[in-house]
Amino acid sequence: MSDCCSVEQQGLFPPVSLLRLQSWLSPAFPTGSYSYSHGLEWAVEAKHVQDRKSLVAWLEADLCYGSGRNEAIFFSETWRYAMDDDRAKLYEIAELAAAFRGSSEFALESSQQGAACLATLRRVWPDHLLDWLSEILGERHIQPTFSVVLGIRSAKQGIPVSLALPAFLQSYVANLVTAAVRLIPLGQTDGQAALAELEEPVLVASAQAKRTTIDYLGSAAFMVDLASMAHETQYTRLFRS
């Protein structure tokens, strides 16, 4: 308890910042993330994902080699340049993040969550850098992305990237585990066990992203992209991606 008090007294990381991060990554935060499966719905129908073991393998691949890895890089780079208030670099990352989508459904998933996040943050937790982002992206008809928006707000809140980035990635996989619980179907306990197994990959992906720049963006999780493309024409669907 004395350590917590000393941190608060020194102003290094006010408890309100942690509460806000939890709010922004909560299922109650209105981004509509619950309506997206990131191609997982097709993977379940095609029997690539059938149980907890195959689910963890699928999500770990996405996290370490696919779009999850790229989102971590976007978040980390955004956080870094937001701390420096480097708007030229922030615009470059925001523009690249909006374009860096492997399918139309991934683009929809990213832009709608990003726009919802940006609108809510500006209204409830205002910040001048988010106002600038909204204005410049609107002028140039570029869609916001969740990783960029949240990376900026986390930095401006003073939340260390070593905490904000793993929390962001854990929320990313948690949403997909929740989708899998409905789709496979998977029991609630198995869902939590899957999240426990993904803790180490989340930490590894976070550590790697902190040492990486946008020059190293790329994906080798081809099945995730193919699953998204196949989902576009899937006959029976619960999710939008």
Side-chain angles (χ1 to χ4, degrees), residues 92-145:
E92 177 186 347
I93 292 171
E95 183 181 38
L96 183 59
F100 216 82
R101 305 295 152 186
S103 72
S104 62
E105 286 195 351
F106 282 169
L108 175 70
E109 177 181 318
S110 172
S111 63
Q112 293 208 341
Q113 290 187 69
C117 180
L118 180 58
T120 303
L121 287 176
R122 290 182 66 206
R123 182 167 183 175
V124 183
W125 294 277
D127 179 82
H128 71 277
L129 198 53
L130 288 185
D131 293 338
W132 165 82
L133 181 73
S134 179
E135 181 178 353
I136 193 169
L137 294 186
E139 289 175 354
R140 303 183 187 186
H141 306 289
I142 296 171
Q143 294 295 324
T145 59

Side-chain angles (χ1 to χ4, degrees), residues 63-81 93 96-97 100 147-148 151 161 165 168-169 205-219:
L63 188 62
C64 296
Y65 307 108
S67 50
R69 173 182 179 274
N70 291 330
E71 293 305 306
I73 295 173
F74 285 131
F75 187 103
S76 179
E77 286 278 77
T78 297
W79 186 94
R80 184 179 301 119
Y81 290 120
I93 292 171
L96 183 59
F100 216 82
S147 55
V148 170
V161 70
L165 180 52
F168 168 74
L169 290 181
S206 299
Q208 290 176 343
K210 284 166 56 182
R211 301 191 300 268
T212 307
T213 68
I214 55 175
D215 295 328
Y216 294 89
L217 287 167
S219 173

Side-chain angles (χ1 to χ4, degrees), residues 1-48:
M1 184 172 182
S2 58
D3 290 340
C4 294
C5 291
S6 64
V7 169
E8 182 177 0
Q9 289 166 1
Q10 295 173 42
L12 298 179
F13 186 58
V16 68
S17 297
L18 179 59
L19 294 181
R20 289 182 179 181
L21 181 62
Q22 288 181 304
S23 293
W24 302 337
L25 296 174
S26 165
F29 195 76
T31 60
S33 60
Y34 63 88
S35 61
Y36 300 98
S37 79
H38 206 69
L40 186 61
E41 184 167 20
W42 180 85
V44 171
E45 181 168 299
K47 301 193 183 305
H48 294 302

Side-chain angles (χ1 to χ4, degrees), residues 183-207:
L183 289 167
I184 293 176
L186 198 68
Q188 295 286 347
T189 301
D190 264 349
Q192 292 303 305
L195 281 175
E197 292 180 55
L198 288 164
E199 288 174 356
E200 186 63 25
V202 163
L203 294 175
V204 169
S206 299

